[in-house]
Amino acid sequence: MTDVDVAVVGSGPNGLAAAVTMARAGLRVEIHERAGDVGGGLRTASLFDSEVVHDLCAAVHPMAAASRFFREFGLTARGVDLLHPEISYAHPLDGRPAALAHRDLAATCAGLGADGARWRRLMAPLVEHSEGVVDFMLSAQRSLPGDLTAPALLAPRVLRHGGPFHGFATEEAAALLTGVAAHAVGRLPSLASGAIAVMLGHLGHGTGWPLPRGGSAAIARALTDDLAAHGGRIRTGSPVGDLRELKGARTVLLDVAPKGFLTLAGGRLPDRYARALARFRYGPGAAKADFLVSAPVPWRDPDVGRAGTVHLGGDRATILRQETRAARGVPTREPFVMLVDPAVTDPGRAVRGRRPVWAYAHVPNGDTRDPLPMIRAAIERHAPGFTDTVLAERAVTAAGFEAYNPNYVGGDILAGAVTLGQSLLRPVPRVDPYRTPLPGVYLCSASTPPGPGVHGMAGYWAARSALRREFGIRTAPDLGPAS
Ligand SMILES: Cc1cc2nc3c(=O)[nH]c(=O)nc-3n(C[C@H](O)[C@H](O)[C@H](O)COP(=O)(O)OP(=O)(O)OC[C@H]3O[C@@H](n4cnc5c(N)ncnc54)[C@H](O)[C@@H]3O)c2cc1C
């Protein structure tokens, strides 16, 4: 039994954003988090060595740097140092120099040769109108914006890069953008992956793909500090098994996936809504490796060692094939791998010659295979000798991710397949996607619009909906740091 205005279940970035928004509106808020630590996808911890910390989930934050919630919240003003690599992301290729997305658009175009002008035409208008583009992409997706510049810029680009005819002349540019499209973790190409490619791709040349100094937990800390300063409470080690446990709260916000909600509701949902939730589709899984290494990754192309994020998937055709196989549930020994060597961007992450390396592979949902051999092989292909630098390592299988966090069903770290239908209508077709048929109960996780990533916007929009409907508060609360 709880005696607060608002109970929030789950302390991922969306749960925290929802809690902060409600507390800033003057309400008494309490978060229940099943894990022993707050943050959900924003946890940073030492794994092998007390001095070197690893990001257990998210590591790189293009969306936290750009989203409306975090712009208003003011991460930098609260001491979260967003560090920018000189090269946002790199894409090693066999037998030739890697393709590089510098933060500087002109440098990127200069490196892409015959495709330089095409890359500029694709990215420059989006960079110029980035705030509008981000606000449109991270909206609650139920109304058209007053200014149609963003959709007008996005529509032709998403259609082109979500389809088979991308129009690039070189393998470098085609692979570079396909590596970004692969962040959609699903069948490729697809319109949803095209949207992710242009959204994340242009941010690489704008607000950037930064890493918070010291790891992602810095973002969670800023949010929990603000919540505490406004009277909010957090109970960790507090799993909620049934909504009836929260009876004393006037409103409940759930940072959980549809599968978790069905359990929490325990048969009290109307049949039609429950059936729609049960039909919600989960995407392929992620299987992760955490390494403690004795040296920077020995990339064959040294320019890759200046990048914050590295995409290991080979040429475009290979990425399309491997991603589509994983989406169909077919295991492959050469999956797409994402890698971050955080000390490249944040040298303080390396302590006395030891540093973390974060990498994960896209695999079929529920995959129980140990990803370490596949991930090591993917790195060795472009960084021979990497294995010799490994001092310690651990794996989290796709199935293991669900045990770690029930929102990652079958290891789907995006909390729902990123298809066009589910991007527009997650979790179920409904005018207000956050409101549920249970009085006062709202969903606020990445399974609701605008979907996955650390942007806080699902939590923010769910909180705004609850403020309006349950408390009659229509004005957006001030989220900024105290002056
Ligand atoms: C390996 C990995 C790498 C990633 N990399 C990036 C990246 O670099 N950049 C990026 O932007 N995004 C990344 N993501 C995705 C990002 O972390 C998620 O999209 C984001 O964390 C979703 O936020 P959320 O608040 O919806 O849910 P989560 O962060 O998943 O948090 C949900 C929380 O709810 C808790 N919970 C669930 N059920 C209950 C219950 N019944 N009772 C109490 N507590 C409960 C869970 O323990 C968890 O703490 C990554 C994710 C993973 C796993």
PDB file of all heavy atoms in Angstrom, residues 46-70:
ATOM      1  N   SER A  46      31.105  -1.652 -12.200  1.00  0.00           N
ATOM      2  CA  SER A  46      32.352  -2.387 -12.410  1.00  0.00           C
ATOM      3  C   SER A  46      32.000  -3.867 -12.488  1.00  0.00           C
ATOM      4  O   SER A  46      31.121  -4.346 -11.763  1.00  0.00           O
ATOM      5  CB  SER A  46      33.360  -2.080 -11.307  1.00  0.00           C
ATOM      6  OG  SER A  46      32.761  -2.271 -10.063  1.00  0.00           O
ATOM      7  N   LEU A  47      32.677  -4.574 -13.362  1.00  0.00           N
ATOM      8  CA  LEU A  47      32.347  -5.993 -13.564  1.00  0.00           C
ATOM      9  C   LEU A  47      33.504  -6.910 -13.183  1.00  0.00           C
ATOM     10  O   LEU A  47      33.294  -7.993 -12.658  1.00  0.00           O
ATOM     11  CB  LEU A  47      32.000  -6.238 -15.042  1.00  0.00           C
ATOM     12  CG  LEU A  47      30.706  -5.615 -15.549  1.00  0.00           C
ATOM     13  CD1 LEU A  47      30.579  -5.812 -17.058  1.00  0.00           C
ATOM     14  CD2 LEU A  47      29.496  -6.216 -14.842  1.00  0.00           C
ATOM     15  N   PHE A  48      34.734  -6.482 -13.514  1.00  0.00           N
ATOM     16  CA  PHE A  48      35.882  -7.364 -13.312  1.00  0.00           C
ATOM     17  C   PHE A  48      36.903  -6.739 -12.377  1.00  0.00           C
ATOM     18  O   PHE A  48      37.763  -7.409 -11.848  1.00  0.00           O
ATOM     19  CB  PHE A  48      36.593  -7.634 -14.645  1.00  0.00           C
ATOM     20  CG  PHE A  48      35.654  -7.966 -15.779  1.00  0.00           C
ATOM     21  CD1 PHE A  48      35.378  -7.039 -16.774  1.00  0.00           C
ATOM     22  CD2 PHE A  48      35.051  -9.211 -15.840  1.00  0.00           C
ATOM     23  CE1 PHE A  48      34.526  -7.339 -17.812  1.00  0.00           C
ATOM     24  CE2 PHE A  48      34.199  -9.523 -16.880  1.00  0.00           C
ATOM     25  CZ  PHE A  48      33.934  -8.587 -17.874  1.00  0.00           C
ATOM     26  N   ASP A  49      36.826  -5.422 -12.244  1.00  0.00           N
ATOM     27  CA  ASP A  49      37.910  -4.674 -11.657  1.00  0.00           C
ATOM     28  C   ASP A  49      37.247  -3.454 -11.039  1.00  0.00           C
ATOM     29  O   ASP A  49      36.465  -2.774 -11.700  1.00  0.00           O
ATOM     30  CB  ASP A  49      38.809  -4.283 -12.855  1.00  0.00           C
ATOM     31  CG  ASP A  49      39.896  -3.311 -12.500  1.00  0.00           C
ATOM     32  OD1 ASP A  49      39.624  -2.363 -11.760  1.00  0.00           O
ATOM     33  OD2 ASP A  49      41.021  -3.497 -12.995  1.00  0.00           O
ATOM     34  N   SER A  50      37.526  -3.174  -9.776  1.00  0.00           N
ATOM     35  CA  SER A  50      36.754  -2.140  -9.089  1.00  0.00           C
ATOM     36  C   SER A  50      36.964  -0.753  -9.694  1.00  0.00           C
ATOM     37  O   SER A  50      36.140   0.136  -9.507  1.00  0.00           O
ATOM     38  CB  SER A  50      37.130  -2.125  -7.610  1.00  0.00           C
ATOM     39  OG  SER A  50      38.518  -1.893  -7.497  1.00  0.00           O
ATOM     40  N   GLU A  51      38.041  -0.563 -10.463  1.00  0.00           N
ATOM     41  CA  GLU A  51      38.332   0.785 -10.974  1.00  0.00           C
ATOM     42  C   GLU A  51      37.755   1.056 -12.368  1.00  0.00           C
ATOM     43  O   GLU A  51      37.628   2.202 -12.770  1.00  0.00           O
ATOM     44  CB  GLU A  51      39.853   0.992 -11.023  1.00  0.00           C
ATOM     45  CG  GLU A  51      40.478   1.044  -9.637  1.00  0.00           C
ATOM     46  CD  GLU A  51      41.982   1.182  -9.720  1.00  0.00           C
ATOM     47  OE1 GLU A  51      42.604   0.440 -10.509  1.00  0.00           O
ATOM     48  OE2 GLU A  51      42.529   2.026  -9.005  1.00  0.00           O
ATOM     49  N   VAL A  52      37.484   0.006 -13.116  1.00  0.00           N
ATOM     50  CA  VAL A  52      37.019   0.188 -14.500  1.00  0.00           C
ATOM     51  C   VAL A  52      35.524  -0.108 -14.564  1.00  0.00           C
ATOM     52  O   VAL A  52      35.098  -1.197 -14.175  1.00  0.00           O
ATOM     53  CB  VAL A  52      37.783  -0.755 -15.467  1.00  0.00           C
ATOM     54  CG1 VAL A  52      37.278  -0.593 -16.897  1.00  0.00           C
ATOM     55  CG2 VAL A  52      39.278  -0.483 -15.390  1.00  0.00           C
ATOM     56  N   VAL A  53      34.754   0.877 -15.054  1.00  0.00           N
ATOM     57  CA  VAL A  53      33.301   0.657 -15.092  1.00  0.00           C
ATOM     58  C   VAL A  53      32.821   0.400 -16.522  1.00  0.00           C
ATOM     59  O   VAL A  53      33.406   0.881 -17.487  1.00  0.00           O
ATOM     60  CB  VAL A  53      32.521   1.839 -14.469  1.00  0.00           C
ATOM     61  CG1 VAL A  53      32.789   1.931 -12.970  1.00  0.00           C
ATOM     62  CG2 VAL A  53      32.818   3.151 -15.177  1.00  0.00           C
ATOM     63  N   HIS A  54      31.736  -0.364 -16.611  1.00  0.00           N
ATOM     64  CA  HIS A  54      31.159  -0.775 -17.903  1.00  0.00           C
ATOM     65  C   HIS A  54      29.708  -0.311 -17.968  1.00  0.00           C
ATOM     66  O   HIS A  54      28.988  -0.411 -16.961  1.00  0.00           O
ATOM     67  CB  HIS A  54      31.196  -2.297 -18.032  1.00  0.00           C
ATOM     68  CG  HIS A  54      32.574  -2.874 -17.943  1.00  0.00           C
ATOM     69  ND1 HIS A  54      33.243  -3.376 -19.041  1.00  0.00           N
ATOM     70  CD2 HIS A  54      33.420  -3.008 -16.900  1.00  0.00           C
ATOM     71  CE1 HIS A  54      34.439  -3.803 -18.668  1.00  0.00           C
ATOM     72  NE2 HIS A  54      34.569  -3.590 -17.372  1.00  0.00           N
ATOM     73  N   ASP A  55      29.279   0.132 -19.117  1.00  0.00           N
ATOM     74  CA  ASP A  55      27.851   0.411 -19.319  1.00  0.00           C
ATOM     75  C   ASP A  55      27.166  -0.920 -19.582  1.00  0.00           C
ATOM     76  O   ASP A  55      27.492  -1.610 -20.556  1.00  0.00           O
ATOM     77  CB  ASP A  55      27.664   1.371 -20.496  1.00  0.00           C
ATOM     78  CG  ASP A  55      28.098   2.787 -20.129  1.00  0.00           C
ATOM     79  OD1 ASP A  55      27.697   3.259 -19.057  1.00  0.00           O
ATOM     80  OD2 ASP A  55      28.859   3.393 -20.908  1.00  0.00           O
ATOM     81  N   LEU A  56      26.209  -1.268 -18.720  1.00  0.00           N
ATOM     82  CA  LEU A  56      25.590  -2.586 -18.855  1.00  0.00           C
ATOM     83  C   LEU A  56      24.623  -2.618 -20.036  1.00  0.00           C
ATOM     84  O   LEU A  56      24.431  -3.665 -20.639  1.00  0.00           O
ATOM     85  CB  LEU A  56      24.866  -2.960 -17.556  1.00  0.00           C
ATOM     86  CG  LEU A  56      25.744  -2.935 -16.289  1.00  0.00           C
ATOM     87  CD1 LEU A  56      24.969  -3.465 -15.100  1.00  0.00           C
ATOM     88  CD2 LEU A  56      27.038  -3.725 -16.492  1.00  0.00           C
ATOM     89  N   CYS A  57      24.032  -1.471 -20.359  1.00  0.00           N
ATOM     90  CA  CYS A  57      23.124  -1.407 -21.513  1.00  0.00           C
ATOM     91  C   CYS A  57      23.574  -0.249 -22.394  1.00  0.00           C
ATOM     92  O   CYS A  57      24.598  -0.346 -23.043  1.00  0.00           O
ATOM     93  CB  CYS A  57      21.678  -1.256 -21.060  1.00  0.00           C
ATOM     94  SG  CYS A  57      21.112  -2.638 -20.037  1.00  0.00           S
ATOM     95  N   ALA A  58      22.832   0.877 -22.394  1.00  0.00           N
ATOM     96  CA  ALA A  58      23.146   1.971 -23.310  1.00  0.00           C
ATOM     97  C   ALA A  58      24.497   2.602 -22.977  1.00  0.00           C
ATOM     98  O   ALA A  58      24.878   2.714 -21.807  1.00  0.00           O
ATOM     99  CB  ALA A  58      22.050   3.030 -23.241  1.00  0.00           C
ATOM    100  N   ALA A  59      25.203   3.014 -24.045  1.00  0.00           N
ATOM    101  CA  ALA A  59      26.518   3.634 -23.865  1.00  0.00           C
ATOM    102  C   ALA A  59      26.621   4.977 -24.586  1.00  0.00           C
ATOM    103  O   ALA A  59      27.319   5.878 -24.127  1.00  0.00           O
ATOM    104  CB  ALA A  59      27.610   2.690 -24.382  1.00  0.00           C
ATOM    105  N   VAL A  60      25.944   5.108 -25.719  1.00  0.00           N
ATOM    106  CA  VAL A  60      26.104   6.277 -26.588  1.00  0.00           C
ATOM    107  C   VAL A  60      24.753   6.978 -26.703  1.00  0.00           C
ATOM    108  O   VAL A  60      23.721   6.308 -26.847  1.00  0.00           O
ATOM    109  CB  VAL A  60      26.604   5.833 -27.987  1.00  0.00           C
ATOM    110  CG1 VAL A  60      26.841   7.023 -28.884  1.00  0.00           C
ATOM    111  CG2 VAL A  60      27.889   5.015 -27.846  1.00  0.00           C
ATOM    112  N   HIS A  61      24.745   8.324 -26.671  1.00  0.00           N
ATOM    113  CA  HIS A  61      23.472   9.010 -26.429  1.00  0.00           C
ATOM    114  C   HIS A  61      23.104  10.115 -27.425  1.00  0.00           C
ATOM    115  O   HIS A  61      22.903  11.264 -27.043  1.00  0.00           O
ATOM    116  CB  HIS A  61      23.466   9.530 -24.996  1.00  0.00           C
ATOM    117  CG  HIS A  61      23.458   8.407 -24.027  1.00  0.00           C
ATOM    118  ND1 HIS A  61      22.324   7.676 -23.748  1.00  0.00           N
ATOM    119  CD2 HIS A  61      24.456   7.815 -23.337  1.00  0.00           C
ATOM    120  CE1 HIS A  61      22.619   6.701 -22.908  1.00  0.00           C
ATOM    121  NE2 HIS A  61      23.919   6.760 -22.642  1.00  0.00           N
ATOM    122  N   PRO A  62      22.938   9.741 -28.712  1.00  0.00           N
ATOM    123  CA  PRO A  62      22.487  10.750 -29.679  1.00  0.00           C
ATOM    124  C   PRO A  62      21.135  11.333 -29.305  1.00  0.00           C
ATOM    125  O   PRO A  62      20.887  12.523 -29.498  1.00  0.00           O
ATOM    126  CB  PRO A  62      22.410   9.977 -31.000  1.00  0.00           C
ATOM    127  CG  PRO A  62      22.572   8.538 -30.678  1.00  0.00           C
ATOM    128  CD  PRO A  62      23.198   8.430 -29.332  1.00  0.00           C
ATOM    129  N   MET A  63      20.249  10.506 -28.742  1.00  0.00           N
ATOM    130  CA  MET A  63      18.893  11.010 -28.479  1.00  0.00           C
ATOM    131  C   MET A  63      18.809  11.795 -27.174  1.00  0.00           C
ATOM    132  O   MET A  63      18.050  12.745 -27.078  1.00  0.00           O
ATOM    133  CB  MET A  63      17.907   9.860 -28.530  1.00  0.00           C
ATOM    134  CG  MET A  63      17.795   9.332 -29.952  1.00  0.00           C
ATOM    135  SD  MET A  63      16.318   8.423 -30.234  1.00  0.00           S
ATOM    136  CE  MET A  63      16.952   6.784 -30.111  1.00  0.00           C
ATOM    137  N   ALA A  64      19.616  11.408 -26.181  1.00  0.00           N
ATOM    138  CA  ALA A  64      19.620  12.196 -24.943  1.00  0.00           C
ATOM    139  C   ALA A  64      20.191  13.578 -25.216  1.00  0.00           C
ATOM    140  O   ALA A  64      19.817  14.561 -24.567  1.00  0.00           O
ATOM    141  CB  ALA A  64      20.443  11.482 -23.872  1.00  0.00           C
ATOM    142  N   ALA A  65      21.099  13.674 -26.193  1.00  0.00           N
ATOM    143  CA  ALA A  65      21.680  14.982 -26.511  1.00  0.00           C
ATOM    144  C   ALA A  65      20.686  15.876 -27.244  1.00  0.00           C
ATOM    145  O   ALA A  65      20.856  17.091 -27.279  1.00  0.00           O
ATOM    146  CB  ALA A  65      22.933  14.780 -27.378  1.00  0.00           C
ATOM    147  N   ALA A  66      19.655  15.269 -27.837  1.00  0.00           N
ATOM    148  CA  ALA A  66      18.799  16.039 -28.742  1.00  0.00           C
ATOM    149  C   ALA A  66      17.350  16.156 -28.302  1.00  0.00           C
ATOM    150  O   ALA A  66      16.644  17.078 -28.733  1.00  0.00           O
ATOM    151  CB  ALA A  66      18.842  15.381 -30.134  1.00  0.00           C
ATOM    152  N   SER A  67      16.861  15.253 -27.434  1.00  0.00           N
ATOM    153  CA  SER A  67      15.417  15.190 -27.211  1.00  0.00           C
ATOM    154  C   SER A  67      14.896  16.417 -26.450  1.00  0.00           C
ATOM    155  O   SER A  67      15.616  17.043 -25.674  1.00  0.00           O
ATOM    156  CB  SER A  67      15.039  13.917 -26.438  1.00  0.00           C
ATOM    157  OG  SER A  67      15.186  14.099 -25.040  1.00  0.00           O
ATOM    158  N   ARG A  68      13.631  16.682 -26.675  1.00  0.00           N
ATOM    159  CA  ARG A  68      13.008  17.842 -26.016  1.00  0.00           C
ATOM    160  C   ARG A  68      13.059  17.696 -24.500  1.00  0.00           C
ATOM    161  O   ARG A  68      13.345  18.660 -23.787  1.00  0.00           O
ATOM    162  CB  ARG A  68      11.550  17.955 -26.489  1.00  0.00           C
ATOM    163  CG  ARG A  68      10.784  18.978 -25.690  1.00  0.00           C
ATOM    164  CD  ARG A  68       9.372  19.143 -26.171  1.00  0.00           C
ATOM    165  NE  ARG A  68       8.623  19.902 -25.177  1.00  0.00           N
ATOM    166  CZ  ARG A  68       7.333  20.187 -25.307  1.00  0.00           C
ATOM    167  NH1 ARG A  68       6.670  19.794 -26.356  1.00  0.00           N
ATOM    168  NH2 ARG A  68       6.722  20.872 -24.367  1.00  0.00           N
ATOM    169  N   PHE A  69      12.779  16.491 -23.996  1.00  0.00           N
ATOM    170  CA  PHE A  69      12.803  16.310 -22.549  1.00  0.00           C
ATOM    171  C   PHE A  69      14.169  16.692 -21.995  1.00  0.00           C
ATOM    172  O   PHE A  69      14.267  17.472 -21.037  1.00  0.00           O
ATOM    173  CB  PHE A  69      12.457  14.858 -22.158  1.00  0.00           C
ATOM    174  CG  PHE A  69      12.634  14.618 -20.685  1.00  0.00           C
ATOM    175  CD1 PHE A  69      11.664  15.029 -19.780  1.00  0.00           C
ATOM    176  CD2 PHE A  69      13.797  14.034 -20.193  1.00  0.00           C
ATOM    177  CE1 PHE A  69      11.840  14.850 -18.404  1.00  0.00           C
ATOM    178  CE2 PHE A  69      13.979  13.846 -18.824  1.00  0.00           C
ATOM    179  CZ  PHE A  69      12.999  14.257 -17.931  1.00  0.00           C
ATOM    180  N   PHE A  70      15.233  16.151 -22.574  1.00  0.00           N
ATOM    181  CA  PHE A  70      16.562  16.430 -22.013  1.00  0.00           C
ATOM    182  C   PHE A  70      17.033  17.851 -22.335  1.00  0.00           C
ATOM    183  O   PHE A  70      17.812  18.419 -21.573  1.00  0.00           O
ATOM    184  CB  PHE A  70      17.571  15.367 -22.467  1.00  0.00           C
ATOM    185  CG  PHE A  70      17.448  14.084 -21.684  1.00  0.00           C
ATOM    186  CD1 PHE A  70      17.032  12.913 -22.297  1.00  0.00           C
ATOM    187  CD2 PHE A  70      17.711  14.048 -20.320  1.00  0.00           C
ATOM    188  CE1 PHE A  70      16.905  11.727 -21.562  1.00  0.00           C
ATOM    189  CE2 PHE A  70      17.582  12.877 -19.579  1.00  0.00           C
ATOM    190  CZ  PHE A  70      17.183  11.717 -20.204  1.00  0.00           C
TER     191      PHE A  70
END
